[in-house]
Amino acid sequence: MSYFPSVTPIRFEGKQAQTPLAFRHYDAAKLVLGKPMREHLRMAACYWHTFVWPGSDVFGAGTFRRPWQEGGDAMAMAHNKADAAFEFFSKLGVDYYTFHDTDVAPEGNSLAEYRNNFAQMLDVLERKQEQTGVRLLWGTANCFSNPRFASGAASNPNPELFAYAAAQVCTAMNATQRLGGANYVLWGGREGYETLLNTDLKREREQLGRFMRLVVEHKHKIGFKGTLLIEPKPQEPTKHQYDYDSATVHGFLKQYGLEQEIKVNIEANHATLAGHSFHHEIATAAALGILGSVDANRGDPQNGWDTDQFPNSVEEMTLATYEILKAGGFTTGGFNFDSKVRRQSLDEVDLFHGHVGAMDVLALSLERAAGMIENDLLANFKAERYAGWDGAFGQDVLAGKLSLSDIAEHAFAKQINPQAVSGRQEMLENLVNRAIYG
Amino acid sequence: MSYFPSVTPIRFEGKQAQTPLAFRHYDAAKLVLGKPMREHLRMAACYWHTFVWPGSDVFGAGTFRRPWQEGGDAMAMAHNKADAAFEFFSKLGVDYYTFHDTDVAPEGNSLAEYRNNFAQMLDVLERKQEQTGVRLLWGTANCFSNPRFASGAASNPNPELFAYAAAQVCTAMNATQRLGGANYVLWGGREGYETLLNTDLKREREQLGRFMRLVVEHKHKIGFKGTLLIEPKPQEPTKHQYDYDSATVHGFLKQYGLEQEIKVNIEANHATLAGHSFHHEIATAAALGILGSVDANRGDPQNGWDTDQFPNSVEEMTLATYEILKAGGFTTGGFNFDSKVRRQSLDEVDLFHGHVGAMDVLALSLERAAGMIENDLLANFKAERYAGWDGAFGQDVLAGKLSLSDIAEHAFAKQINPQAVSGRQEMLENLVNRAIYG
Amino acid sequence: MSYFPSVTPIRFEGKQAQTPLAFRHYDAAKLVLGKPMREHLRMAACYWHTFVWPGSDVFGAGTFRRPWQEGGDAMAMAHNKADAAFEFFSKLGVDYYTFHDTDVAPEGNSLAEYRNNFAQMLDVLERKQEQTGVRLLWGTANCFSNPRFASGAASNPNPELFAYAAAQVCTAMNATQRLGGANYVLWGGREGYETLLNTDLKREREQLGRFMRLVVEHKHKIGFKGTLLIEPKPQEPTKHQYDYDSATVHGFLKQYGLEQEIKVNIEANHATLAGHSFHHEIATAAALGILGSVDANRGDPQNGWDTDQFPNSVEEMTLATYEILKAGGFTTGGFNFDSKVRRQSLDEVDLFHGHVGAMDVLALSLERAAGMIENDLLANFKAERYAGWDGAFGQDVLAGKLSLSDIAEHAFAKQINPQAVSGRQEMLENLVNRAIYG
Amino acid sequence: MSYFPSVTPIRFEGKQAQTPLAFRHYDAAKLVLGKPMREHLRMAACYWHTFVWPGSDVFGAGTFRRPWQEGGDAMAMAHNKADAAFEFFSKLGVDYYTFHDTDVAPEGNSLAEYRNNFAQMLDVLERKQEQTGVRLLWGTANCFSNPRFASGAASNPNPELFAYAAAQVCTAMNATQRLGGANYVLWGGREGYETLLNTDLKREREQLGRFMRLVVEHKHKIGFKGTLLIEPKPQEPTKHQYDYDSATVHGFLKQYGLEQEIKVNIEANHATLAGHSFHHEIATAAALGILGSVDANRGDPQNGWDTDQFPNSVEEMTLATYEILKAGGFTTGGFNFDSKVRRQSLDEVDLFHGHVGAMDVLALSLERAAGMIENDLLANFKAERYAGWDGAFGQDVLAGKLSLSDIAEHAFAKQINPQAVSGRQEMLENLVNRAIYG
Ligand SMILES: [Co+2]
Ligand SMILES: [Co+2]
Ligand SMILES: [Co+2]
Ligand SMILES: [Co+2]
Ligand SMILES: [Co+2]
Ligand SMILES: [Co+2]
Ligand SMILES: [Co+2]
Ligand SMILES: [Co+2]
């Protein structure tokens, strides 16, 4: 039985494509900077938005009529969902997928049921991975949707919730390892606060630090070779989320001595909610040495919540991809489409339109960014701009050979009078547009 | 000669005051929690907004007609300005003031002139401090207004600008020490970027780290006993400023091993520009152990720039003051009015209205916060809420006695099924309003 | 059977109240400016947030365990809900309530069922109103939650949806009249767009204009004496909602000649989402002559969605109440608590904490605003500030007696050189604080 | 003497251009949809940002060293500025320019001096227009920079300021007519409020309405054939500006019966400050019949003030241009670069980089938008989507042939049960990307 009978596998047909659903730019095997596109991009579709969300929002019920979401025996539905998901992944031609524990298997009514259900579905997923060749970019645990997590998981005022979350995360990490997942992600959905009036920030931070330490130790214990990732988000559902942005996560990791163990999974829409450009978050994480993976989507610049739309700006994505390439490209990470079709896009074919368009956007962005790298005018410009720091004085300063008063005396003695020089922002912006539009 | 001839010294007259300019709530010597109000609040007026800014904005010229701002010999004007400032501080009855180097002395045309001018004005300030009893809460250096700092100071691509800034900061630190300043502040006005296209984030971060290390070493070398403070701000004038918020500064301090050496000076308006409540920034800095001092002002919730208005919300300030009291109160820090009258408030008397109102707001907030502390229902509520963590299991978890799988097995074995309990947010909000309104 | 057995009717006990749930400030019969508080405030509790919402959000299921929300026969549940609601209204001592059609009666599976269910529940509501004395502030129809309204109601590209909405609104208007409702509200939940790419703004505007015209005509046809109200909101659930703010609604009303027929129901949280202060929206609607009623709540200044929290700022609400009083006070309108307890406030008693606190806040704000009115320093200040316009020249200008060149020639001839005078913003802010804090 | 000796006139060189300053896409005479690019775009450079602003911001002095900005005799400087400006316009190859009265001539110390200076400079401008062929897109008057306008111009509490503004606007309108200006613009720089505490919204609105009426009458009196334009902006420099956005201006025009007389000049950065997309403001003004002209620039999505950057997004500008073409294209309007180089872009050549890049962006956007128009898949999609309204029932509804209860009865009688259909947002977004990227 097919869940998408009207859709044939998506193929690369180039710009001349007449088929409504074809890749015009994403040519998986095409070499870019000597590596196939697919290996650069490591794209993943997600269970969460695409197979779990029913098209509901705060003001209305789900609009989607998905056969695998109809009521009935929960495990039977989970099997259907897996069938639909892997049919979708295969037809789309995406190499990876991602999931939360409770996306793929029903929670059940107890931890025992949770473990059993999940174990059964693991067998299913393992088989489907083998059959299709689709691989797991990362797994994660949903410790925020169940009402029990209303006040958080690891940061909950009640340690039993910490324990409950530990049970899920431990199980999900083991599952991720078994399925050959390339990474394991932690998103602190309700690790934050609704009001400071009832919150002990220090305690909750300690709890979180302990939890992350336990996760790191468990990774090593089970020999998981993938990367641990924290996904920053500033707020929503909580008023304030502790993993606000990359710089905040970096500070947290430094405090608990985890900066060599955990990297970040940067989501475009979370970047903008935090008051940063997506470009900023990527470049910052790279500069701090914690760039791990990316949740590829976009927000709405006028709406103050996580709209998780499919990325459609080549202009924005080219800059992000340029930074990723400059940082050496993805190792275990990749581009996960943490993206959902609009509530009005209620047909199954809309799922394809969303993903196909986004994959073409990433392919275009990769090609444009590769063009920037090949003739790296930005890097050359920067090298010249900072050249003074490569001189003797600059190096002595950075090496700590001079004290503040030494430097001050140098300045007073020489009566230095340095002047500003142009940063050439507009010229550089034009160079980027030239890379994109010729 | 008087610059404020129509204003007599402001007195506490209580709620019955008929005088237009009188304190209705700020009674400097009144004991609150056993300490005089003035010692709790340690309030300061600033040179920068009150005696330097001419009432200009991006779309229009200055509206103020201040005798000490008219053209003429720069040093003569600096003397006039000092006369006006200390007359104002005295009449207002504020215990502290704050300044940038170039607020109090003209920059001149060379570093030599800068040093000489500043040295002369130091004599003046020292004398005025003695005459009036007004003390220096903190000094700082302006390394952002002069066009030479267009691309930053310590983070400038040109190391000569680093050196120039070092000359100013070294001089200003020495001056602050000589004047008995309680703190020394660093605000990274242009330590950030306009565009990532020409910016090497990693290099600039290293430069900043080196600069702060030098400042710390200089402090110890000269035996300065005050506190070093970084003032976070997310953006403006730059598109992105490195010292974005308290959590970001904390991460930076951790990276360079400076977390015992530098604290933060939190500005209310910078908090809100960063997407945080003022309360959040205070509580976060306290939880991270880096709460130093406060720039008391407010932003406009609908305007996206630093409006630096006088604080006028007792509701907001009570929560901030409660956190400060809970953290032990100010040691070297205080409340600096980094606040400016509106461009339309062009009379000198408006400077008094702004400060007097703000001082009353702080006094009211202190009394309300003290009331909350005396009968600390919030602390009691929190203690109960987290009580589970004080038990054996919680303590074992925090102490690292259990691994992730130990905890998971505990959960599976016991089939735990913890449920959410109410966080009582509305009840707690009502308690705060009861503390404020009875 | 009682749904709130642990709660006794809330009483005014004053500031000395020891009872956890008592009014400290709201004394229904107390005269303020010669009128009882209850008649000034005309407060209403709402069905929607308090009896319908299960405590869910986009990232998690409902946390509330409300007996009247458990599954079962839909009509039986509707009866239970009405029992719970009127027990709540009575114990709270609120004079009014508000509802959507589908809050009080199940939609059923067809329009016939909808009409029958609603009719049955009308009998129930009518009886309960008589028994308790609680009255209906306004009714409305929910034309946005059902998936059929995904692309809007009156502005839907499909006229059958317009017709469906007409059926609901017609029914709900008739019901509101029968129940003696003081107003009828229209909130355009999905009257807006998700993307301009598929939207014909002009057509949708025409459809909306037609719908509002039909509503006005129906009101007159059935002899409804209440006020028709549009509730502005800028976005959410749609990307952009047509009734963005009061000024936008005013322009719409003018275009369709409805400005004498429809007023606005201003929600505080919608004001702030639109980039305005609550105060601004109230004052603007009053200045435009379309101030009708108020949805009393607040948003979170750091969160970009409609948090619909209970109002808790006396400072903010005093200014709004002052404007309402200056505009003559409510006629048919009132303060409806379009407010919901937090998802973590999961106990039934939290519903009381939310409402009791909010009612005290409104009572306090009324008293403070009345104080401002009694000695109306703001009005006096304004009268003086604009006094020039009451002179001959100003009156001639406003009366159109002078052309642009006449006025220009007057200016050139007199070589006028008018100068700015202080707007005294800080002094006026201090006056407001004096009204609030003494 | 040349002010830009190093720059030769900018030429179209196509994508193969090696010259750093050449048009790669803007080919003035190239036909697009049968009309030369230059006539579609009607691009203008502005005096204000490019020849008047010194590179200052709120935190620092001007960084630019422009020969025509150095001190000296004001009229001599104005001549130099005009020389520089027209050399720039000519070398750039832009067809239009725009100015404020006080940009081109010094204000002087009295209205008499203002009039004389302006009159002299008019002769200069007229001659330069003839010499270069550069034309005036619009003129305007600066009634916001001088301190006298601190509390507004037409909305000032003092009618003498109204008169002063009338003198300027009358003079500037006459000048615009004499120079053959295609439009006259009114931007309400300080027509708004800083605080409602001292503001009478109703009076100020009446004053503004009167002013606009006078301007309209004057236009007709002097026979000016151009278009009158109001430029909306939500805030800055004021806390709230009355001409908030297009919908607000539309309501204002309706109230004063001016909707046939005045259109809007939409600025991209003002759109985003108002919480709208640029696309929204263009489409809204077109739907309301008041689309006049465009200030082409962009804001920074993370900064909450008017950054007035050069437009550099083809993606954004293509959608705006598509709407403009659909609305019939510009008549008197055009694209004015209300854009400034960054404060760090301090060399004169940066002015060329900014404009050349922006002109190429507009040219690219025009070509992409023309492609969308030629094969108008969006229009076809919309036509189908709304087709129901073209049927008998839809037309009857719109024509007012049915009452609300008629329509309701139709719905109940037929037991209609309309369902949502997909809005196909992702597919449409992909179509737009196909138009841009192939
Ligand atoms: Co994500
Ligand atoms: Co997201
Ligand atoms: Co500050
Ligand atoms: Co500030
Ligand atoms: Co509402
Ligand atoms: Co709301
Ligand atoms: Co403009
Ligand atoms: Co602008």
Side-chain angles (χ1 to χ4, degrees), chain A residues 203-204 221 386 390 405, chain B residues 203-204 221 386 390 405:
Chain A
R203 284 187 105 129
E204 298 205 354
K221 180 172 148 192
Y386 292 86
D390 300 331
S405 53
Chain B
R203 283 188 104 128
E204 298 205 353
K221 181 171 147 193
Y386 292 86
D390 301 330
S405 53

Side-chain angles (χ1 to χ4, degrees), chain A residues 207-227:
Chain A
Q207 294 170 211
L208 270 179
R210 169 54 47 198
F211 197 86
M212 292 303 164
R213 165 62 55 198
L214 291 174
V215 165
V216 166
E217 289 168 357
H218 188 68
K219 168 189 154 160
H220 293 302
K221 180 172 148 192
I222 64 175
F224 178 58
K225 297 300 176 210
T227 308

Side-chain angles (χ1 to χ4, degrees), chain C residues 302-322:
Chain C
Q302 279 78 45
N303 290 169
W305 60 92
D306 201 17
T307 65
D308 285 334
Q309 292 172 261
F310 282 91
N312 75 345
S313 170
V314 175
E315 292 172 356
E316 178 179 56
M317 203 53 86
T318 296
L319 292 174
T321 306
Y322 171 77

Side-chain angles (χ1 to χ4, degrees), chain D residues 5 17 31 57 91 98 137 139 145 186 203 225 254 261 272 284 290-291 293 300 318 335 350-351 371 382 429:
Chain D
L31 295 184
D57 66 20
K91 284 189 167 168
T98 62
L137 186 63
S145 290
L186 298 121
R203 284 187 104 129
K225 298 299 176 211
K254 289 293 296 184
E261 298 283 0
T272 52
T284 296
I290 57 169
L291 177 59
S293 197
D300 182 294
T318 295
F335 281 115
D350 292 312
L351 295 173
K382 287 187 200 180
E429 289 170 348

Side-chain angles (χ1 to χ4, degrees), chain A residues 165-186:
Chain A
Q168 282 188 246
V169 170
C170 186
T171 308
M173 286 179 74
N174 296 348
T176 299
Q177 184 182 29
R178 176 169 152 205
L179 294 173
N183 308 272
Y184 184 83
V185 167
L186 298 122

Side-chain angles (χ1 to χ4, degrees), chain A residues 58-374:
Chain A
V58 180
F59 293 89
T63 54
F64 301 162
R65 291 171 291 271
R66 310 287 195 226
W68 62 88
Q69 284 175 341
E70 328 236 300
D73 174 71
M75 279 303 287
M77 296 309 295
H79 279 88
N80 293 349
K81 200 196 299 186
D83 289 345
F86 278 81
E87 182 187 348
F88 179 83
F89 303 149
S90 295
K91 284 190 167 168
L92 181 61
V94 72
D95 290 336
Y96 292 91
Y97 77 112
T98 62
F99 69 76
H100 297 83
D101 52 352
T102 57
D103 295 345
V104 295
E107 276 189 276
N109 292 310
S110 66
L111 274 175
E113 284 185 35
Y114 163 80
R115 183 149 60 171
N116 290 340
N117 291 346
F118 197 4
Q120 283 183 49
M121 289 309 300
L122 270 188
D123 294 340
V124 173
L125 295 175
E126 197 169 44
R127 205 175 327 121
K128 291 201 171 279
Q129 290 189 191
E130 276 166 31
Q131 288 164 353
T132 60
V134 175
R135 281 165 287 163
L136 180 62
L137 186 63
W138 46 258
T140 187
N142 178 333
C143 299
F144 51 89
S145 291
N146 190 294
R148 71 166 51 87
F149 292 118
S151 302
S155 67
N156 201 292
N158 176 358
E160 289 291 291
L161 270 307
F162 183 105
Y164 202 99
Q168 282 188 246
V169 170
C170 186
T171 308
M173 286 179 74
N174 296 348
T176 299
Q177 184 182 29
R178 176 169 152 205
L179 294 173
N183 308 272
Y184 184 83
V185 167
L186 298 122
W187 174 56
R190 298 193 199 267
E191 312 291 27
Y193 64 79
E194 276 306 308
T195 175
L196 285 167
L197 300 185
N198 66 15
T199 303
D200 186 327
L201 285 178
K202 201 161 178 173
R203 284 187 105 129
E204 298 205 354
R205 194 175 177 86
E206 287 302 313
Q207 294 170 211
L208 270 179
R210 169 54 47 198
F211 197 86
M212 292 303 164
R213 165 62 55 198
L214 291 174
V215 165
V216 166
E217 289 168 357
H218 188 68
K219 168 189 154 160
H220 293 302
K221 180 172 148 192
I222 64 175
F224 178 58
K225 297 300 176 210
T227 308
L228 295 174
L229 300 168
I230 286 179
E231 179 167 338
K233 189 176 182 186
Q235 69 259 141
E236 197 201 14
T238 64
K239 173 198 169 28
H240 177 92
Q241 197 164 314
Y242 296 132
D243 301 329
Y244 200 81
D245 58 11
S246 291
T248 301
V249 170
H250 174 253
F252 171 82
L253 295 176
K254 289 292 297 183
Q255 182 173 8
Y256 293 100
L258 302 169
E259 71 272 21
Q260 304 299 327
E261 298 283 0
I262 301 183
K263 295 192 186 309
V264 286
N265 181 40
I266 293 178
E267 180 179 316
N269 202 156
H270 297 179
T272 52
L273 285 172
H276 306 304
S277 67
F278 180 36
H279 188 190
H280 169 87
E281 278 291 275
I282 298 283
T284 297
L288 295 172
I290 56 170
L291 176 59
S293 196
V294 170
D295 267 9
N297 63 13
R298 78 175 195 277
D300 183 295
Q302 279 78 45
N303 291 169
W305 61 93
D306 201 18
T307 65
D308 285 334
Q309 292 172 263
F310 283 91
N312 74 346
S313 170
V314 175
E315 292 171 356
E316 178 180 57
M317 203 52 86
T318 295
L319 292 174
T321 306
Y322 171 77
E323 297 290 345
I324 293 167
L325 291 175
K326 292 292 287 183
F330 289 127
T331 54
T332 61
F335 280 115
N336 172 53
F337 293 113
D338 192 358
S339 310
K340 61 185 183 195
V341 292
R342 299 302 82 199
R343 184 173 179 268
Q344 292 184 42
S345 299
L346 40 85
D347 291 341
E348 283 135 17
V349 72
D350 292 313
L351 296 173
F352 283 92
H353 284 300
H355 284 85
V356 168
M359 290 168 77
D360 266 353
V361 163
L362 288 190
L364 273 163
S365 301
L366 173 64
E367 294 196 312
R368 286 355 186 211
M372 289 170 67
I373 295 274
E374 279 171 344

Side-chain angles (χ1 to χ4, degrees), chain C residues 173-285:
Chain C
M173 286 178 74
N174 296 347
T176 299
Q177 185 182 28
R178 177 171 151 205
L179 294 173
N183 310 270
Y184 184 84
V185 167
L186 299 121
W187 174 57
R190 298 192 199 267
E191 311 291 26
Y193 64 80
E194 276 306 307
T195 174
L196 284 167
L197 300 185
N198 66 14
T199 303
D200 187 326
L201 285 179
K202 200 162 178 172
R203 283 189 106 128
E204 299 204 355
R205 194 175 177 87
E206 286 301 313
Q207 295 170 210
L208 270 180
R210 169 54 48 198
F211 198 86
M212 292 302 166
R213 164 63 54 199
L214 292 173
V215 165
V216 166
E217 289 168 357
H218 188 68
K219 167 188 154 160
H220 292 301
K221 182 172 146 192
I222 63 174
F224 178 59
K225 299 298 176 211
T227 307
L228 295 173
L229 300 168
I230 286 179
E231 179 168 337
K233 189 178 182 186
Q235 68 258 144
E236 198 202 12
T238 65
K239 172 195 170 29
H240 177 91
Q241 196 165 315
Y242 296 132
D243 301 328
Y244 200 81
D245 57 11
S246 292
T248 301
V249 170
H250 175 253
F252 171 83
L253 296 176
K254 289 292 296 183
Q255 183 174 9
Y256 293 100
L258 301 170
E259 71 271 21
Q260 304 299 327
E261 298 283 0
I262 301 183
K263 296 192 185 309
V264 287
N265 181 40
I266 293 178
E267 180 180 316
N269 201 156
H270 297 177
T272 53
L273 286 172
H276 307 304
S277 67
F278 180 37
H279 188 189
H280 169 87
E281 278 291 276
I282 298 282
T284 297

